[in-house]
């Protein structure tokens, strides 16, 4: 997890959130308003690899997403068990809100898979048959940290949180 050390030349006011309220608010915003995120993992040579993943649900313990067992992303998740994601609301720089989350990942089970598919029905178009859906796995991001960077407030504000 990240510490709250000062960053040189960063104009943002920094703070650390107490409890899980900020984490849950960020999770909700990521899932409901942003949805599509950029996720980074590390390959076998220690090099970063990014991909675009939809965050499909959240709860008190973390965020949930799906991936296919045939993708290299799945292999990196299983091998490394950790990821980092970034999301922004898409507004202009001085009006935007950005969130970064990093944490451990684990498979969430078949029950969560069905729940995520039902909450995100477009996935039935991408995986229209039972056979195709059988290749999907649900994952949870848990035991991590993040930061909310708000550019629309003056001065900009950066708040760190843990979950």
């Amino acid at each position: 997890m990240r510490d709250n050390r000062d960053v040189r030349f960063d104009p943002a006011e920094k703070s650390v959130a107490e409890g899980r309220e900020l984490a849950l608010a960020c999770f909700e915003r990521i899932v409901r308003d942003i949805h599509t995120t950029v996720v980074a993992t590390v390959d076998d040579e220690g090099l970063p690899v990014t991909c675009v993943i939809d965050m499909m649900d959240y709860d008190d313990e973390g965020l949930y997403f799906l991936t296919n067992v045939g993708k290299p992303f799945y292999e990196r998740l299983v091998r490394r068990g950790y990821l980092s994601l970034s999301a922004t609301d898409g507004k202009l720089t001085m009006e935007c809100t950005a969130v970064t989350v990093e944490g451990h990942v684990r498979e969430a089970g078949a029950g969560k898979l069905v729940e995520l598919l039902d909450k995100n029905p477009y996935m039935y178009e991408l995986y229209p048959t039972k056979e195709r859906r059988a290749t999907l796995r649900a994952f949870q991001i848990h035991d991590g940290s993040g930061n909310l960077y708000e550019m629309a407030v003056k001065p900009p504000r950066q708040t760190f949180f843990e979950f």
Side-chain angles (χ1 to χ4, degrees):
M1 298 204 198
R2 299 248 184 240
D3 61 13
N4 192 20
R5 60 185 158 212
D6 288 329
V7 178
R8 294 180 92 183
F9 310 114
D10 186 347
E13 289 185 4
K14 295 176 185 62
S15 63
V16 177
E18 298 295 326
R20 292 189 175 209
E21 292 79 20
L22 181 60
L24 290 173
C26 288
F27 295 166
E28 180 177 17
R29 186 146 193 204
I30 289 169
V31 170
R32 290 195 169 72
D33 300 334
I34 298 171
H35 200 65
T36 302
T37 65
V38 176
V39 175
T41 54
V42 178
D43 69 13
D44 288 339
E45 296 175 17
L47 299 172
V49 181
T50 62
C51 58
V52 176
I53 297 292
D54 289 348
M55 290 298 133
M56 300 183 160
D57 201 8
Y58 73 99
D59 60 21
D60 288 345
E61 295 184 21
L63 289 160
Y64 295 88
F65 63 94
L66 299 175
T67 194
N68 186 302
V69 296
K71 292 183 177 181
F73 176 59
Y74 173 83
E75 293 299 323
R76 291 190 305 274
L77 291 172
V78 171
R79 280 194 194 121
R80 302 288 183 214
Y82 202 85
L83 64 70
S84 178
L85 72 84
S86 292
T88 183
D89 59 13
K91 296 178 182 172
L92 296 174
T93 300
M94 295 308 290
E95 300 170 3
C96 81
T97 298
V99 180
T100 298
V101 174
E102 60 185 60
H104 299 274
V105 294
R106 61 182 167 215
E107 285 197 44
K112 192 64 176 179
L113 173 64
V114 172
E115 185 180 326
L116 294 179
L117 288 168
D118 289 345
K119 286 185 175 186
N120 299 274
Y122 67 91
M123 292 300 293
Y124 287 108
E125 291 180 46
L126 295 172
Y127 294 87
T129 65
K130 272 187 170 178
E131 294 77 25
R132 296 268 334 266
R133 289 189 296 275
T135 65
L136 292 173
R137 297 296 180 273
F139 278 86
Q140 179 194 47
I141 306 168
H142 65 97
D143 295 323
S145 62
N147 71 74
L148 173 66
Y149 200 76
E150 300 168 285
M151 294 293 290
V153 298
K154 302 301 178 243
R157 180 173 52 220
Q158 186 174 25
T159 310
F160 296 88
F161 59 87
E162 294 183 345
F163 62 97

